[in-house]
Every structure is written in C-alpha cells, then in structure tokens.
Amino acid sequence: MYSKVKKLSEIDVPKIVVTPPGPKSMELMRLREKYVPKAVYNVSSIFVAESEGSVIKDVDGNEYIDFTTGISCLNVGHRDPEVMKAIEEQLGKYLHLCFHVTPYEPYIRLAEKLAMIAPGNFEKKVILVNSGAEAVENAVKVARRFTGKPVIVTFEYAFHGRTRLAMSLTGSVHPYKYGFGPLDPAIHRTPYAYCYRCSFGLEYPTCNMRCVEYIKDTFAIHLSPDDVAAMIVEPIQGEGGFIVPPKEFLQGLRKICNENDILLIADEVQSGMGRTGKMFAVEHYGIIPDMITMAKSLGGGLPIAATIGKGDIMDSVQVGGLGGTFGGNPLSCVAAIKAIEEAKKLLENAEKLGKILIGRLKEMHEKYEIIGDVRGIGLMAAVELVKNRKTKEPAKEERNRILSECHKNGLIIIGAGAYKNVIRFLPPLNISEELLNKGLDIFENAVKTLK
Ligand SMILES: Cc1ncc(COP(=O)(O)O)c(C=O)c1O
C-alpha cells in the first residue's frame, strides 16, 4: 500500500552516498545499452528506486531534488496522496474496459471537468487519448474535418511530439525528423516570437510584432488562408527553450484566425495544469483557443491526454473517426480527476514560488556572464546560456557540464532549446521553499564551477 512506503526526507536532501551514477545504476545502464535502442535517449544514468513529493532516491541510495518532474508530468509532485488514493480505489473496481465497448463513469467525469475548466464560455467536448502527440494528432484531424481545409500553420522551434503528424509540426529537424520522411505535406511553418533571437533581427517592442505581420503578408502572397484549417501554437514553447512570447503575439494570432475562419489550437501539453500559476497558460494572454491539447501532468503520473474543443467543432467528425483502444483508461481518468483538483489548489503556490525562482535566476543573470537570458511564468522558467552576451553564441558544452554537475550534487534538472543551450526549471508546484532554494544553490554552485 502506498501509504506504508517510507517517506523520503524532505529536509535533509540531497544525501549523496556514492558519486552518481553508482554501481547499481551503472550495471542497469549496461543492460539498458544492450536491450534498449540508443535512440530512446537518456539525460542521466541514474536509475530510480523510489520517489515522493519533490525527492527521488536512486538504486544506490542517493537522494535528489527533482526540478524536472518527469518532464513536467508531476505538477502535483511524486505520488501525490490524493492521486494515489483514487488509483487504489479504482484498482479494487476494474481496469481496462475500452470506452468504445462498455463505457464507464470516470471517462465522463474527467471530460466534464476538463470542459468546465478550459477557457471559453461555450459548450465543449473532450476526447481522451494516451499521449501528447496523440492529442495533437486528434486536434489536427478534427480541424481538417471541421473546416474541410488541409493546411496547418505551425511555428519555428515548436515541439508537438514524435508521431508522424506531430513530428511534421515540430520545428527542429535534429533529432526529431531526421531521416523519418515523408512528413505530412500540408504544414506551413512561420517564426515564433522568440524575442531573444528574433527571426527578423528586430527588438521588442520596436519590432511592431513583425512575426504577426509576417503571417498576414504570407496570407496575402504565398498561402491562401482559404486552405488553412488551423494554427497550432504552444502558448509558451517548451522543448524549443521555454520561450515566452509577448501578449500581442498570441492576441495577434487569435485575430488573424478570427478574420480568416482558421481554428486556433493551443498546445498546453507542457504549459498547462497549473505550471504557470494558472490552469492554462493562455489565461495569461487573454485569448480563448478553439481547441486545447493536454497531457503530461494531467494524469498526476499516469499516462493520459486530452483534446478539448468547441462542441460543434468536435462533433463534426463521423462516428468511429476518433478514439482508440486505451484512450481514457479508467485508472488514468480517476488519477487525472484528482490531479486537476490538487493542481487547482496549488496555483497560488506556483505563482509565489515562481517569483522566488525567477527572482533568484535574475540575480544569477547579474552575476554570471554565461546566463544570457532568464525567462518564464510561474514555475515554468529557464535560463539561456551564451558564450558571449553580444554574439549570443550558444554555450552548449557549458550547459551540459552544468547539468552533469547538478546531477552529481543531488539535483535532477534537464535542458531544452533548439540550440541545446537552455536549462529548464520544472519543480513540483508543491515543492517547499527550502527545497527550491537548496536546488537553486546546487545549480548556482554548478554555474560557478565553470570558472
Ligand atoms: C508542447 C508539447 N506538445 C506535445 C508533446 C508530446 O507529448 P508526448 O511526449 O506525451 O507525446 C510534448 C512533449 O514534450 C510537448 O511539450
């Protein structure tokens, strides 16, 4: 029973008993190399024995503060007691049934909850699937079916997943698309508002939002909006480097979509579920998308994803056109219902701790030349590392050295960014202030070692 598992200490961590990766982790890594293809990447060689709250313990007895949460899948922390209780109760009832064959209540209750919390004062309907990529695939299928148009507009540096359509929408060729063609043919890519590295070489706000105006030019000259079904956008880009656009960017996209009968899909797979201090990152921007994709933290640690959309849009698809065997697995549904309730309670904390996190990163920006940019909202924050603040040459090797120094000293943290020079901070929304600061001390010490 989960409740009997020994609690990991929240105060004394990290306790490093052998230099990680220890002998047991190394042995497992040898087996991993033998039986798992190298394409399935690992950012650390630390094998986990148990986890609780904001702490992970490895098979060699080392403890780590977790600033990664399984790439933003544990906004409510590891093994949240309420989520665990809901899973335990469901285990005593039934596991897989398949919603298409013998429907069950948790699917409906979760759909209802998502329809209620998603922005927009209109009727919404929800499909439950298994992964972020699948949620994106479904959003695009529905958008094409509803509008009868083929083209999807996507953005530079975007990440939407690894299935064929999702990787077609993704920006970076390496490693996501290289050698995997043919990709979806009806994708059009345009610059994102990555103000630190503006695609037009301009500066905000004197740029007058050239990236938005550029889409208007494109529609006037190169691509008819009559062929465009939807724009898919991450309100804050995740894998691309935690890029936070100005308000006018998303508002400008919404306006262009309205004027051209194009659907706006917000991919909230990484930015949703309270990560930014609001349940959905779009709430910071005052826009209402036609469809939203969710995954990652939705299941509180179990795999589940959702495509939420306006009722008439979602109902435009023929019976049998959407779904899948495992979509909306009962165990994941009950976990997600609780994870949503718990995440809602943590919004204020995310905002409060986010100020501490971003405040400390900004102080480090003052002290260390290598930190070229600090950005984020709530507990979705990042630093971009550069060799030279003027040329902005990406500090990729230095970034990797900082990451491995953090791992060695008890902090699990990962990178991001098309230029492989970003470090992202994704602690649980209920991490204690003390642990947050301890993790930041480890990070700062790792930055200092570069000298
Ligand atoms: C914004 C965004 N969309 C989609 C995905 C794909 O999700 P999954 O890995 O669950 O397929 C990710 C994963 O990182 C993501 O960050």
Side-chain angles (χ1 to χ4, degrees), residues 101-119:
V101 183
T102 44
Y104 40 87
E105 187 171 346
Y107 191 114
I108 308 300
R109 293 288 173 212
L110 177 57
E112 180 186 32
K113 218 174 198 32
L114 287 169
M116 307 274 281
I117 63 167

Side-chain angles (χ1 to χ4, degrees), residues 331-386:
L331 214 54
S332 298
C333 284
V334 296
I337 291 167
K338 278 294 162 208
I340 292 171
E341 285 166 12
E342 293 308 295
K344 275 167 95 176
K345 294 181 202 158
L346 295 172
L347 297 179
E348 261 178 42
N349 208 44
E351 198 186 322
K352 184 184 125 205
L353 293 183
K355 285 196 179 124
I356 296 173
L357 167 63
I358 294 170
R360 274 203 66 184
L361 295 177
K362 286 199 165 145
E363 279 168 29
M364 291 183 214
H365 177 252
E366 298 293 309
K367 285 199 254 175
Y368 309 106
E369 277 290 300
I370 191 159
I371 300 181
D373 193 29
V374 173
R375 50 191 181 240
I377 306 185
L379 282 174
M380 183 168 188
V383 292
E384 177 156 353
L385 305 177
V386 289

Side-chain angles (χ1 to χ4, degrees), residues 4-80:
K4 294 201 181 130
V5 170
K6 180 176 70 68
K7 285 244 180 235
L8 293 176
S9 151
E10 277 266 315
I11 299 300
D12 300 336
V13 294
K15 267 194 227 122
I16 299 296
V17 292
V18 291
T19 310
K24 288 185 182 160
S25 277
M26 296 226 281
E27 179 52 25
L28 288 168
M29 194 39 98
R30 267 192 292 278
L31 289 173
R32 177 255 179 270
E33 276 161 15
K34 188 157 184 232
Y35 294 113
V36 182
K38 61 179 185 304
V40 182
Y41 74 106
N42 296 113
V43 293
S44 83
S45 312
I46 298 153
F47 280 77
V48 175
E50 54 184 297
S51 66
E52 178 99 27
S54 308
V55 179
I56 290 174
K57 189 169 181 178
D58 77 11
V59 287
D60 293 290
N62 296 312
E63 288 181 2
Y64 307 85
I65 299 168
D66 186 8
F67 271 13
T68 301
T69 49
I71 321 190
S72 202
C73 294
L74 295 159
N75 286 2
V76 296
H78 290 261
R79 304 169 71 249
D80 173 80

Side-chain angles (χ1 to χ4, degrees), residues 71 130-134 136 159-162 234 238-239 267-270 293 295-296:
I71 321 190
N130 303 293
S131 69
E134 219 188 319
V136 167
F159 184 82
H160 296 291
R162 286 184 165 83
E234 293 160 87
E239 302 302 304
D267 184 346
E268 293 261 11
V269 165
Q270 190 150 176
T293 53
K296 289 197 183 274

